[in-house]
Amino acid sequence: MMNNTLKALLSGMVLLLSCATAQAGSEIKLGTFLAVTGPASFLGDPELKTLQMYVEKINREGGVNGRQIKLFHYDTGANPKKAVNFVKRLIKKDRVDLIVGGSTSGTTMAVIPLVEAAKLPFISMAGSVKIIDPVKKWVFKTPHTDKMAAQKIFLDMNKRGIKKVGMISGSGGFGKSGRGQVLALAPEYGIEIVADESYGKKDTDMTAQLSKIRAANPEAILNFGFGSGPAIVTKNIGQLGITLPLYQSHGVASKKYIEMSGASAEGVRLPAASLLVANKLPDSDPQKKVILAYKTAYEAQHGAVSTFGGHGYDALFLAVEAIKRAGSTDKEAVRTEIEKTRNFIGAGGVFNMSPKDHLGLGLDAFKMLEIKNGDWSIVE
Amino acid sequence: MGEVFLQSLITGVTVGSAYALVGLGFAIIFNASDVVNFAQGEFVMIGAMSAVSLLAVGLPFVVAIGFALLITVAIGMMLEKFAIEPAKSATVVSTIIITIGASIFLRGAALLIWGKNFHSLPAFSGEIPIHLGSATLTPQSLWVMGVTALMVLLVRSFFKRTVTGKAILACSANPMAASLMGIPVRRMMLFSYGLSAFLGGVAGVLIAPIAFTSYDAGMMLGLKGFAAAILGGLGNPMGAVAGGVVLGVLESLGAGLISSGYKDAIAFIILLLVLFFKPQGLFGRAGSDRV
C-alpha cells in the first residue's frame, strides 16, 4: 500500500520534472544587452521597454511557432567592456538562440568577434555603418546609418542648387563619425565643404565658430550632433542673423529640439525616420499602419515614442519573422532567413536584406523633414 | 577676420561672465575656510532647474526666479549645516572630498527629480539681437554681463565695508583668534555657503536662456569656474572674476581665430603656463607663511 503510494508519487514527480524540462527546452531564448543606464540611456531605455512590451504580447498570443520567448537582458551602461562580459555570459551560460541589442556602436563593435566565433545570429540597434560594412556573416543591424543621413541631405542640397556648405559638428562619437561621412561623400555630390568647425558636448555658445563659418561664404550650414549642441547652434544662427538654410542630422529628431531652439528652428531641414511624422504620412504609405500601431502601443504604456525604440521593434520582429520562416531556432537556418528578409515593414523603413546588405534599408527609409510652425512637415 | 574677432570677443565676455560668477563663489568659500567647494557647479544647475520648474508651475517670472534663488541658498546652507559642519575637525582635504561627494549626491538627486532632459528658460527681455557693427549680441548677454558686474561690485563692497564681510575675512585669517574676538565662526561659514550658492544660482538663471540646463550642466560650469578661480589666484574674489572673463575670451578667440577643435586645449594650455610661471595665479599675492 505504502509502496504503491510512494511509487505513484515518484512517477508523478518524474513526469512533472520531465514536463518542466521539455517546457524549458522549447522556449526560444532571446538574449539582449542594452545601455539602459548611463550616457546612452536615451537609446537603451526605449529599446528595452519596446522589447519587453512586445515579447510579453507575443507570449500572450501563443508565442512563436507555439514556443514562448524568454528574454535574457543585461544593462551595459554603454560600456564596451561590460558588453563583452555580458555577451560571453549570454553565449556560454544562458545559451541563447540569438542576440538582439547593443545600443551604441562602441558596445556592438566590441562583441562582434564573440558572436562571429560562436556562430550566433546578432541584430544590432546601433548607428555606425562600420557594423555592416564590410558585411559580417552573423551580424545585422536595424538603424539608418550616418552615411545615409549625409546622402539624403546632399540630395536635398542638389535639388536646391546648394554647392558650398559650412559644416559644424559635435566632438562626440556621433558628430565625429557623421563629419567623416560628410567629408568623404561631399565630392560625389559636387558639394564643397568650405568650413569645418566643431564644438564640445557641454559648450554653451557657438557664435565664434558660426561667425567663422559665415566668413567662409557658404550657401548652407550643416550640423552633425545630438544633445543640447544642435539647439544652441540653431539659436546662435538666429541670433547672428544668418539667413542661410540650416540642415541638421537625424540626431536631433525629437520634439525637444524644436522646443529648445524656439523660433530659430523654423525652416530647419533634417532627414528622419517616418515614425516622427506617423500621423502626417499619406494613407498609401506602406509603413503607416505599422508605425501607428507601434506608436499607439508604446505611448499607451511609456509616454512619447522615439525613433530609438523603433530600432528595437525592428530588431525583435526581424528575428521573430526569421524564426517563423525557419520553423526552428537552428542558428544557421535563422541566419539565412534573416538574410533573406524581403519587404519587411518596420518602424525604421522597409527592409530588404541580401548577402551583401545586412541593413536592407534604402534612402527612402529617411524622410526629409522641415520644421514649420513649430512642427515637423514632410518635404517632397 | 575683424568681424570674427569682434563676435568672438563679445561671446567670450558673455560666457566668461558666467564663469566669473561661479569662480567668485569658489573664492568666497575658499576665503572663509580654505576649502574648495566642488559642489559650486551644482548650485548653478539647481538655480536654473528650480526656476524652470517654478515657472512651469505657473508662478510669474520674477517670483519664480526669486524662489529659485532662495531654494539654492537654502541648499547651500544645508550643505554647510549637514555635511561640512559635522566634519569640523576634518582636514581641509577631507572637507574637499566631502564637497565632491555632495556634488555627486546633488546631481543624482537632480536626475531623479528632473530627469535627463534639457530645459530652457525664456530670455529676460526678448531675443531680438542688438547689432554692434558686423557683430551681434543678444539682450540676454547684456543681462549676463550687467548682473555679473553688479554682483561683483556688491560682493566687493560687502567684504570691504560691512562688519559681517570683515568678520568672514577674519575667520579665514585665523578662525581661533576670530572666535576669541567674539565672531561666531560657524555662522559666518553658513553665511559664506549661502552667499556662494546665491551667486551660483544667479549664474544658472542668467545663462539658462542661452545655454539650456540639465541635471549635469553644473559639472562643466563648475570646472570652468574652478579654472577661473585658479587663474585669477585662489582666495582673491576679484582675481576669480578677472580669471573667468579671461578664460571665456581665450576659449572664444581660440575657437574663432585658430581652431574650434582645440579651443579647450588652448585655454587650458594658457592656464597651465600661467600656473607654471606664476603659481599664485594672475592676481594672487605670493603666499607667505609665518613660522
Side-chain angles (χ1 to χ4, degrees):
Chain A
M1 174 71 179
M2 195 64 182
N3 213 352
N4 273 348
T5 325
L6 205 67
K7 258 186 192 162
L9 254 176
L10 263 176
S11 56
M13 270 165 76
V14 169
L15 208 78
L16 263 175
L17 261 174
S18 58
C19 268
T21 45
Q23 196 71 42
S26 74
E27 267 176 346
I28 295 171
K29 293 184 182 175
L30 179 65
T32 185
F33 61 105
L34 299 165
V36 180
T37 60
S41 56
F42 68 99
L43 302 171
D45 183 55
E47 285 163 356
L48 181 64
K49 281 175 178 161
T50 302
L51 288 184
Q52 286 170 333
M53 189 171 89
Y54 279 98
V55 165
E56 194 196 312
K57 181 167 181 280
I58 292 169
N59 285 343
R60 211 172 41 230
E61 288 165 3
V64 181
N65 300 341
R67 295 165 66 187
Q68 297 278 299
I69 300 179
K70 183 164 186 214
L71 190 65
F72 292 79
H73 163 66
Y74 299 104
D75 176 13
T76 61
N79 180 343
K81 256 190 214 155
K82 280 193 189 171
V84 167
N85 285 335
F86 287 139
V87 167
K88 271 185 195 155
R89 194 185 309 181
L90 285 172
I91 295 171
K92 297 218 170 92
K93 186 163 161 282
D94 303 326
R95 298 178 168 278
V96 294
D97 296 307
L98 75 168
I99 298 180
V100 298
S103 308
T104 64
S105 298
T107 49
T108 295
M109 294 306 285
V111 306
I112 283 178
L114 289 176
V115 294
E116 286 280 303
K119 301 196 188 314
L120 202 62
F122 169 42
I123 307 177
S124 163
M125 303 174 197
S128 173
V129 70
K130 285 182 188 145
I131 297 167
I132 46 141
D133 183 23
V135 174
K136 294 152 196 87
K137 190 177 174 197
W138 297 89
V139 182
F140 303 84
K141 74 177 220 109
T142 55
H144 320 85
T145 63
D146 38 16
K147 184 177 177 185
M148 290 165 65
Q151 285 170 325
K152 191 82 185 175
I153 290 171
F154 285 151
L155 281 175
D156 195 61
M157 286 179 172
N158 282 350
K159 264 191 227 158
R160 289 165 109 183
I162 293 166
K163 294 213 153 47
K164 282 156 70 184
V165 173
M167 177 166 54
I168 180 163
S169 51
S171 61
F174 180 80
K176 257 192 200 150
S177 165
R179 173 181 171 272
Q181 295 298 332
V182 167
L183 290 177
L185 289 167
E188 273 179 48
Y189 292 83
I191 283 169
E192 187 192 351
I193 305 295
V194 292
D196 177 12
E197 299 294 327
S198 71
Y199 55 83
K201 197 173 91 176
K202 290 263 158 217
D203 281 6
T204 52
D205 193 303
M206 286 71 158
T207 44
Q209 290 96 316
L210 289 167
S211 30
K212 203 172 164 190
I213 289 179
R214 174 164 63 182
N217 283 323
E219 291 161 0
I221 297 177
L222 166 58
N223 179 200
F224 241 100
F226 68 77
S228 61
I232 297 178
V233 167
T234 311
K235 273 188 117 169
N236 286 166
I237 285 177
Q239 175 202 335
L240 288 172
I242 298 175
T243 50
L244 299 169
L246 171 61
Y247 285 86
Q248 291 281 358
S249 72
H250 52 312
V252 306
S254 78
K255 266 281 161 62
K256 201 80 204 167
Y257 164 73
I258 303 183
E259 193 188 300
M260 292 202 302
S261 316
S264 311
E266 284 299 302
V268 170
R269 289 194 177 187
L270 65 146
S274 311
L275 191 59
L276 275 191
V277 284
N279 297 318
K280 296 200 173 86
L281 290 174
D283 288 330
S284 59
D285 193 295
Q287 262 188 284
K288 184 164 186 173
K289 247 177 76 186
V290 176
I291 295 176
L292 274 181
Y294 169 59
K295 188 176 149 82
T296 321
Y298 188 91
E299 289 183 347
Q301 285 191 23
H302 301 301
V305 77
S306 77
T307 51
F308 313 120
H311 303 323
Y313 174 93
D314 292 345
L316 175 66
F317 282 96
L318 278 172
V320 165
E321 294 294 320
I323 293 170
K324 271 187 195 161
R325 288 196 302 269
S328 76
T329 45
D330 176 65
K331 295 180 177 67
E332 178 62 47
V334 171
R335 192 208 73 84
T336 316
E337 284 304 329
I338 297 177
E339 199 168 70
K340 279 190 198 154
T341 300
R342 303 294 302 169
N343 286 321
F344 167 77
I345 300 170
V350 181
F351 290 82
N352 286 300
M353 302 259 186
S354 75
K356 281 197 189 111
D357 184 1
H358 278 194
L359 166 62
L361 286 176
L363 273 189
D364 55 347
F366 264 140
K367 296 269 182 291
M368 183 52 76
L369 304 185
E370 185 174 312
I371 298 169
K372 272 187 194 157
N373 304 321
D375 199 3
W376 315 108
S377 67
I378 303 172
V379 180
E380 279 321 326
Chain B
M1 220 61 212
E3 169 207 350
V4 177
F5 180 79
L6 188 60
Q7 186 65 52
S8 305
L9 199 63
I10 291 173
T11 303
V13 176
T14 310
V15 175
S17 298
Y19 295 168
L21 274 183
V22 184
L24 189 56
F26 271 108
I28 288 171
I29 289 180
F30 184 81
N31 245 348
S33 61
D34 283 351
V35 166
V36 179
N37 168 31
F38 277 103
Q40 189 64 31
E42 270 40 62
F43 295 154
V44 179
M45 174 270 294
I46 290 169
M49 293 296 250
S50 313
V52 169
S53 294
L54 292 171
L55 210 56
V57 175
L59 287 184
F61 196 68
V62 180
V63 182
I65 287 181
F67 272 107
L69 293 179
L70 275 183
I71 291 173
T72 316
V73 169
I75 288 177
M77 289 185 158
M78 273 153 65
L79 171 67
E80 202 283 335
K81 193 80 194 157
F82 299 119
I84 311 292
E85 197 179 314
K88 57 183 152 214
S89 57
T91 60
V92 167
V93 175
S94 313
T95 316
I96 291 176
I97 292 171
I98 291 176
T99 68
I100 295 177
S103 83
I104 296 171
F105 170 77
L106 289 174
R107 212 177 304 139
L111 173 63
L112 290 178
I113 298 171
W114 287 297
K116 290 173 195 136
N117 270 334
F118 288 97
H119 299 275
S120 174
L121 276 179
F124 292 8
S125 45
E127 302 206 359
I128 299 159
I130 301 160
H131 292 266
L132 284 181
S134 54
T136 51
L137 82 166
T138 54
Q140 190 65 27
S141 302
L142 289 180
W143 275 102
V144 176
M145 295 179 211
V147 174
T148 302
L150 182 71
M151 287 296 148
V152 168
L153 289 178
L154 284 179
V155 167
R156 191 181 155 88
S157 63
F158 170 74
F159 280 115
K160 279 239 156 102
R161 304 200 194 287
T162 65
V163 177
T164 319
K166 287 186 177 163
I168 291 179
L169 289 182
C171 293
S172 83
N174 190 331
M176 174 73 99
S179 73
L180 287 176
M181 297 310 288
I183 297 172
V185 176
R186 274 293 136 196
R187 205 179 311 153
M188 291 299 128
M189 286 291 293
L190 199 58
F191 187 84
S192 310
Y193 273 85
L195 182 59
S196 290
F198 176 75
L199 291 171
V202 169
V205 169
L206 284 173
I207 199 140
I210 298 179
F212 309 119
T213 184
S214 62
Y215 78 97
D216 60 349
M219 206 151 50
M220 190 278 296
L221 275 170
L223 272 180
K224 294 282 168 73
F226 178 59
I230 296 268
L231 189 62
L234 254 179
N236 178 348
M238 294 310 118
V241 171
V245 177
V246 168
L247 188 66
V249 170
L250 277 178
E251 273 182 11
S252 182
L253 286 181
L257 300 179
I258 306 172
S259 156
S260 46
Y262 294 109
K263 73 180 174 50
D264 286 333
I266 294 166
F268 280 108
I269 284 173
I270 292 179
L271 178 67
L272 285 178
L273 284 178
V274 167
L275 290 182
F276 191 70
F277 290 108
K278 220 170 170 304
Q280 68 276 27
L282 283 176
F283 307 97
R285 284 175 296 268
S288 59
D289 283 323
R290 261 177 295 168
V291 186

